Amino acid sequence: METMPQPQKRSTRATVGAFAATIAFVALATLAGCSSGASTPKVTVTITPTAPTPSASMPGPSTPGPEADPEPEPEPDPPEPEPPVNPGGVTLTASKGGVSPGCSGSTCWYPYLEWTGLEVGSHQVECVSSAIGAWSDHSYHFDTEDGERELLCFVGYPGSTVWIVIDGIYESNHADW
């Protein structure tokens, strides 16, 4: 009496579309010349939904392979630059002021300046832009050590930065324009 060999079991995992399929093959080997009822190989297929992967969204046949690395996290925005350290504790803060009628449309603004610790008196005020450099140099009288005012120099160039330099010594932050 001939004996039948034990079934061999083999599993394969493949990713097809948005599904992962585990396919188990159970094959019964038949010996050559065995005349008693040969068995048909048995195949069991289990399909489990999974999250789509980049290869799953691509058309055409999918080939099993290593898992793709996840998308990298976007880099955070760089921190705002620190304002310049001015001598004597003077701080200058520049921002957009009112819209200037000197340009067509609403693309030009007067710089608005806030200051602390500035000596009372007349000072040379220079307006500077990353787009065009220094474009205005006026003398202003400051009545108080701490205050705020809109300056007369106006500039457009959206997307540039604008800053104020007083007496060639004190520098404001670089404001987004």
Side-chain angles (χ1 to χ4, degrees), residues 107-109 127-136 154-163 174-177:
T107 61
C108 289
W109 299 271
C127 300
V128 187
S129 165
S130 62
I132 60 172
W135 81 91
S136 178
F154 63 87
V155 67
Y157 302 99
S160 64
T161 56
V162 172
W163 62 98
H174 291 211
D176 291 331
W177 225 246

Side-chain angles (χ1 to χ4, degrees), residues 40-64:
T40 304
K42 178 181 174 185
V43 177
T44 305
V45 177
T46 307
I47 298 178
T48 309
T50 60
T53 62
S55 63
S57 63
M58 294 170 48
S62 174
T63 351

